[in-house]
């Protein structure tokens, strides 16, 4: 099967690419197609994040393992598209160059049959030009204050540890 994606740069201007790629391609292959279609050289760090319908950032799938080895890391070259994208989970967030934070919203638009004589991956449609710099990420004063105080969404106060409802010595 062939996955048809729309990859949208998170900016005010409309900048996107429509790409079709085989469902068993790795995320590293998808990363390479995205960087080439937007004109990047592909030498910067990048990660995909599984996303929900509200574009909340979920599990990270990284280009390289930069961990200390204590936590398992999913890598792009070991993960296929069909492993993370399907009819029930159609969205990914892709971040390229963690210093500039080029952020892309990716959505599976269609699952199609393989067409004989067609080469994949295929950039089907190009719209808009990449700006000279990555768009600024704007945060409200409240979000920045919450983050600085450790109260960002998803963070936990260490005093709440006892309320988690499990026995820390279970084994």
């Amino acid at each position: 099967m062939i996955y048809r994606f729309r990859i949208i740069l998170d900016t005010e201007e409309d900048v996107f690419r429509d790409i079709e790629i085989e469902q068993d391609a790795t995320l590293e292959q998808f990363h390479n197609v995205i960087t080439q279609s937007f004109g990047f050289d592909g030498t910067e760090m990048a990660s995909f994040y599984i996303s929900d319908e509200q574009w909340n950032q979920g599990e990270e799938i990284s280009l390289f393992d930069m961990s200390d080895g204590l936590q398992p890391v999913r890598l792009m070259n070991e993960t296929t598209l069909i492993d993370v994208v399907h009819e029930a989970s159609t969205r990914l967030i892709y971040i390229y160059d963690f210093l500039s934070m080029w952020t892309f919203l990716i959505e599976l638009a269609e699952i199609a049959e393989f067409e004989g004589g067609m080469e994949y991956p295929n950039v089907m449609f190009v719209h808009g030009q990449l700006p000279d710099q990555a768009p600024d990420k704007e945060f409200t004063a409240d979000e920045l204050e919450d983050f600085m105080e450790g109260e960002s969404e998803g963070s936990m106060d260490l005093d709440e540890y006892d309320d988690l409802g499990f026995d820390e010595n279970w084994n």
Side-chain angles (χ1 to χ4, degrees), residues 154-168:
S155 68
M156 181 181 2
D157 185 348
L158 291 178
D159 294 334
E160 297 172 4
Y161 181 78
D162 293 331
D163 298 330
L164 289 176
F166 65 88
D167 180 5
E168 65 184 82

Side-chain angles (χ1 to χ4, degrees), residues 7 17 19-21 25-48 63-64 76-77 81 94-96 106 121-123:
I7 297 98
R17 307 291 184 260
I19 294 173
E20 54 185 5
I21 187 169
T26 66
L27 287 180
E28 184 176 27
Q29 291 169 314
F30 193 36
H31 151 80
N32 290 334
V33 174
I34 293 169
T35 57
Q36 291 169 11
S37 72
F38 281 94
F40 294 115
D41 61 13
T43 60
E44 300 295 334
M45 282 295 300
S47 286
F48 285 97
L63 183 59
F64 299 109
M76 289 184 199
N77 66 348
L81 282 167
Y94 173 70
I95 298 178
Y96 178 76
I106 301 173
N122 176 38
V123 179

Side-chain angles (χ1 to χ4, degrees), residues 53-73:
E53 292 299 313
Q54 288 75 41
W55 296 106
N56 294 310
Q57 186 172 309
E59 180 185 5
E60 178 180 14
I61 304 161
S62 183
L63 183 59
F64 299 109
D65 184 353
M66 302 295 286
S67 72
D68 54 11
L70 300 176
Q71 293 268 6
V73 176

